[in-house]
Amino acid sequence: MEEARTWRVDAGGPASLPASPTSRRVAELDGLRGLAAIAIVLFHVRPTWLPGGWLAVDLFFVLSGFLITSILIEHGQRPGFTRAFYIRRGLRIWPIYVLTILALAALAAWLPRRCRWSGLWTTLTYTQFVPLDWGGKAKLFSGYLPHTWTLAIEEQFYLVWPLLALAVGRRALPWAAVVLVIASAVLRAQGWSTMTLLGRLDGLAMGGVLATLLHARPVWRDRALVGSLSVGLLGIAGLASAGGPIQPILPARWPGLWVTLFNLAAFGLVGLLATRSGARWLAPIRCSALIYLGKISYGIYLYHVVILFLLSIATIYPKR
C-alpha cells in the first residue's frame, strides 16, 4: 500500500514528468486507492453486492508495482538507497501488522475463531501462504487473518523487486518485468496458486512496466501519447473481458484470465490518472473523502476483515 508520491502536480494543470525526483502526492491515485478499499470492504461484507470486488486487490497490486518502481528509478542510484528503502517500508508496514497479530494472540482465549500457534512465526514473516507454491497448506496463525495473503504478496515483492531492479539495471528492467508478467500468467493458467507471489506477480510487474515507460525517453513521456496508450489498453481489456462471467471467488484452478485482463485495464487506468492528474474531469476522484480513504487504505484492509468477523458480518471467508 505504497504512497502515491510519484508525479509532481502543478497548481493549475496536469502532472509534469520531471527527470528529477518528485515529492508531492497524486490526489487521483489516492482517490483510486480509496475506491478500491471501498470495493474490497463491500465484497467482503457480501459478495453479491459487488461480484467483481475481489479485482480491487489486483488494482492495488498494479498501483504498488507502479509506485515502488517509480521510487526505484528516481532514487535507486543514491548512496544508501537500498538500506533506507527497506527501513522505510518496514516502519510503514510492520508496526500495525505486528500489533494486530499480537492483539489477536493476547485475546485468543476469548475469540470464537481459533489461533494456530504453529503459524505465528510464518504469519509474522509474511510466509504463511508460501507452502501453497508446492501444493501444501497455508500456515496461518489466526482465523481472523485469511485476507493477509495479499499483504504477504506485497511484502515479498517489496523485498525482491528492488534487488532485481538494481541488478538488471534501468534499461533492462522493463523487459524483465514483461517476462515476469508472462511467466505469472502462464503459471496461473497451469493451476499455480493465486494467493502467492508467483501466481499474482503479473499485476505488480505491469505496474513496473508502466513506471519505466513514464520515466523513459521523452517520446514516451509525452502526456498525450501515454494517455492514449492508457485509454487504449483500458478499452481493449474491457471489451475482451465482456465475454465471460465474473467469479465471486477465484477458484483454485481457474486459469486467471480475468486477473490478466483486469491488470491490463488497471495498467491503463493508472497510466491515465498519472498522466492527466489535475484535469478538471478527474475532479470526482479527487474528492477529499476518497483521498483520505486512499491514504489509510492499508489500515482499512488490515483491520476490516477482523472487525467484520467480530461483528459476524463477513460472508466471504469460511470459519476456520
Side-chain angles (χ1 to χ4, degrees):
M1 307 294 181
E2 178 55 41
E3 292 182 344
R5 292 184 179 272
T6 307
W7 310 108
R8 180 186 296 123
V9 181
D10 300 324
S16 59
L17 300 176
S20 60
T22 58
S23 58
R24 295 185 61 186
R25 302 180 74 102
V26 174
E28 289 82 359
L29 295 185
D30 275 328
L32 185 61
R33 284 183 177 279
L35 288 173
I38 293 172
I40 290 172
V41 172
L42 290 176
F43 178 70
H44 282 163
V45 172
R46 195 164 299 279
T48 55
W49 287 357
L50 193 62
W54 57 271
L55 289 168
V57 166
D58 295 282
L59 176 57
F60 274 122
F61 288 156
V62 175
L63 274 166
S64 293
F66 171 65
L67 295 166
I68 288 297
T69 306
S70 296
I71 291 174
L72 295 174
I73 291 173
E74 295 179 351
H75 303 276
Q77 299 305 315
R78 292 186 175 185
F81 166 80
T82 304
R83 179 172 176 270
F85 174 86
Y86 286 124
I87 291 175
R88 288 190 64 187
R89 294 284 72 72
L91 291 176
R92 192 180 305 280
I93 295 171
W94 291 342
I96 65 172
Y97 179 78
V98 173
L99 285 175
T100 300
I101 294 172
L102 294 180
L104 290 172
L107 298 173
W110 297 277
L111 295 176
R113 286 183 173 243
R114 61 179 180 171
C115 291
R116 294 184 176 88
W117 294 97
S118 60
L120 179 59
W121 176 247
T122 57
T123 303
L124 284 171
T125 57
Y126 297 95
T127 57
Q128 61 269 47
F129 293 94
V130 170
L132 298 179
D133 282 331
W134 52 80
K137 294 183 178 180
K139 296 181 179 179
L140 191 62
F141 166 65
S142 172
Y144 290 90
L145 300 174
H147 61 304
T148 56
W149 65 271
T150 65
L151 303 181
I153 287 175
E154 288 210 20
E155 187 64 19
Q156 293 164 23
F157 176 76
Y158 294 157
L159 179 65
V160 302
W161 188 249
L163 300 178
L164 175 64
L166 296 176
V168 303
R170 178 170 173 174
R171 295 183 64 180
L173 183 58
W175 301 109
V178 169
V179 170
L180 292 175
V181 168
I182 297 172
S184 181
V186 170
L187 286 173
R188 194 166 56 241
Q190 296 299 315
W192 203 277
S193 174
T194 58
M195 300 174 69
T196 64
L197 180 61
L198 290 177
R200 218 59 174 241
L201 182 58
D202 49 334
L204 292 155
M206 281 188 193
V209 172
L210 179 61
T212 58
L213 286 177
L214 297 185
H215 286 82
R217 296 177 300 172
V219 63
W220 287 107
R221 285 164 37 187
D222 179 84
R223 289 193 294 268
L225 180 58
V226 177
S228 298
L229 172 64
S230 300
V231 172
L233 285 173
L234 181 61
I236 291 172
L239 289 173
S241 62
I246 297 180
Q247 300 291 329
I249 305 174
L250 199 63
R253 296 192 64 81
W254 173 257
L257 176 61
W258 269 91
V259 173
T260 302
L261 292 173
F262 185 78
N263 285 336
L264 287 174
F267 177 98
L269 181 59
V270 173
L272 180 66
L273 296 183
T275 57
R276 289 292 182 269
S277 178
R280 290 184 179 181
W281 56 276
L282 288 176
I285 205 171
R286 293 195 296 271
C287 166
S288 58
L290 285 179
I291 291 174
Y292 176 72
L293 290 176
K295 291 179 179 179
I296 63 171
S297 58
Y298 173 65
I300 291 174
Y301 185 83
L302 176 59
Y303 299 139
H304 84 280
V305 171
V306 177
I307 294 172
L308 292 178
F309 280 155
L310 291 174
L311 297 176
S312 299
I313 294 176
T315 59
I316 189 63
Y317 290 109
K319 188 172 182 179
R320 293 169 183 257

